[in-house]
Amino acid sequence: MLTNHFYHEIIRKTIVSFGTLFNNIEIQHTDKNGKTVSVVKVPVSYGPQQKFLARVSQGREYQDERNIGTTLTLPRMSFEVIGMNYDSTRKVSTMQTFKSTNKKTNKMIKAFMPVPYNINMQLSILSKLNEDAIQILEQILPYFQPDYTITLNDNSAMGTTRDVPIVLNNVAYEDSYDGDFNERRVLTYTLTFTAKFYLYGPVVDQKVIKQVQVDQYTDMPVNAPKREQRYTVTPNPITADADDNFGFNETSSFFEDAKNFDETSGTDTEDA
């Protein structure tokens, strides 16, 4: 059965970070002398391309909650998730774990190695003028050669950060101006991307080892040997936590009795 609830917000962080890459793009219009006469910041929002195309085609027939006819302004951008798949090329050992310290409880915590996944996303550039569309496009393409790397705090419980490459796969162009003169023209550039990220499983508490004890014998167990020596190692200081800088105390004890250490009671007992 699957474990109890856990949620690291990794998929959400990846999607939000992807959209944030494009939230500061502007277009400029100039006069015949090359002087800038207007600067327009291009809005970007999450949603399917078809939704915004439908809004454009509706024009002022679309009414908001106040029953006021509004039209969608262009240019604008939209992005959405179009798929997700497991990436076997980045697979690591499924049994390998890594450890950290919980900053709140100061206890050792551990998690299994993360699982590699790819999330496919689509960015749509909608514009009435091709000049506006290619201005936007030229502010995006030079950064992807063919990938652009972002850094995510992907597991806050473990305190880990990871670089996530976002790969540009394809750029497609479409001109939907096929109606009469009353129809609004929409030029659409569609860019598809793949973000290579990792998903983490649950983070669990891991007890800190405070003492290691080894009893040494002079013969194999089948011959019922007597113990000769006990080797014990403890941290120095004994109050040290998992992320402290500490040393070790090593102690050797010698015996001439026939006792053995009972793991259940934690004491030395005579053989039955």
Side-chain angles (χ1 to χ4, degrees):
M1 296 178 63
L2 300 181
T3 185
N4 295 329
H5 174 268
F6 64 92
Y7 178 44
H8 303 300
E9 299 185 345
I10 301 172
I11 298 176
R12 179 182 180 275
K13 291 176 182 177
T14 303
I15 297 172
V16 171
S17 298
F18 174 79
T20 305
L21 291 176
F22 312 104
N23 67 355
N24 200 32
I25 293 179
E26 298 177 343
I27 60 171
Q28 297 183 3
H29 297 144
T30 58
D31 58 19
K32 62 181 180 180
N33 297 319
K35 182 180 179 180
T36 300
V37 294
S38 68
V39 177
V40 179
K41 187 172 183 178
V42 182
V44 57
S45 55
Y46 185 87
Q49 178 189 111
Q50 291 77 12
K51 172 184 175 181
F52 295 99
L53 290 174
R55 281 288 312 277
V56 172
S57 63
Q58 286 178 343
R60 290 191 178 274
E61 295 179 2
Y62 175 84
Q63 294 184 341
D64 60 16
E65 63 275 4
R66 298 171 297 173
N67 296 322
I68 299 175
T70 59
T71 184
L72 193 69
T73 58
L74 297 178
R76 69 181 306 113
M77 294 182 292
S78 69
F79 68 97
E80 61 178 318
V81 175
I82 57 177
M84 195 179 304
N85 62 281
Y86 176 76
D87 188 353
S88 60
T89 62
R90 294 183 287 132
K91 179 182 178 181
V92 296
S93 173
T94 56
M95 299 305 296
Q96 186 176 352
T97 62
F98 65 103
K99 301 177 182 180
S100 184
T101 304
N102 189 317
K103 301 301 182 183
K104 296 181 179 179
T105 62
N106 211 25
K107 291 183 177 180
M108 181 77 74
I109 53 178
K110 73 171 183 177
F112 285 97
M113 294 300 291
V115 183
Y117 267 84
N118 295 334
I119 183 169
N120 302 311
M121 290 178 281
Q122 175 179 286
L123 176 71
S124 300
I125 302 172
L126 309 177
S127 178
K128 180 173 63 175
L129 303 175
N130 195 47
E131 175 66 22
D132 292 346
I134 60 178
Q135 274 196 55
I136 299 171
L137 199 62
E138 286 196 14
Q139 293 178 69
I140 297 174
L141 296 184
Y143 291 99
F144 295 87
Q145 304 180 24
D147 63 271
Y148 180 85
T149 302
I150 60 176
T151 301
L152 292 182
N153 180 12
D154 58 352
N155 193 331
S156 56
M158 300 294 294
T160 60
T161 58
R162 188 178 295 272
D163 291 338
V164 178
I166 299 177
V167 183
L168 174 61
N169 300 318
N170 184 52
V171 180
Y173 168 78
E174 180 184 359
D175 187 350
S176 62
Y177 184 60
D178 54 3
D180 56 30
F181 289 104
N182 293 322
E183 295 289 334
R184 292 186 67 187
R185 182 189 186 190
V186 180
L187 300 173
T188 307
Y189 284 88
T190 304
L191 290 71
T192 55
F193 299 85
T194 299
K196 299 178 178 292
F197 69 108
Y198 288 85
L199 289 174
Y200 290 82
V203 176
V204 297
D205 290 338
Q206 176 75 24
K207 292 184 178 180
V208 179
I209 297 174
K210 291 286 189 176
Q211 178 175 317
V212 176
Q213 177 179 296
V214 178
D215 284 355
Q216 298 174 335
Y217 297 82
T218 58
D219 206 340
M220 301 299 292
V222 68
N223 297 321
K226 296 181 179 180
R227 61 177 182 174
E228 298 287 340
Q229 179 179 345
R230 172 172 295 166
Y231 178 70
T232 306
V233 179
T234 57
N236 181 21
I238 194 64
T239 57
D241 290 312
D243 58 346
D244 290 343
N245 184 14
F246 57 88
F248 295 97
N249 289 325
E250 302 179 45
T251 304
S252 294
S253 303
F254 298 91
F255 302 94
E256 295 182 356
D257 55 27
K259 294 182 179 181
N260 286 308
F261 182 75
D262 186 348
E263 296 181 1
T264 302
S265 63
T267 60
D268 294 330
T269 58
E270 297 284 351
D271 289 339

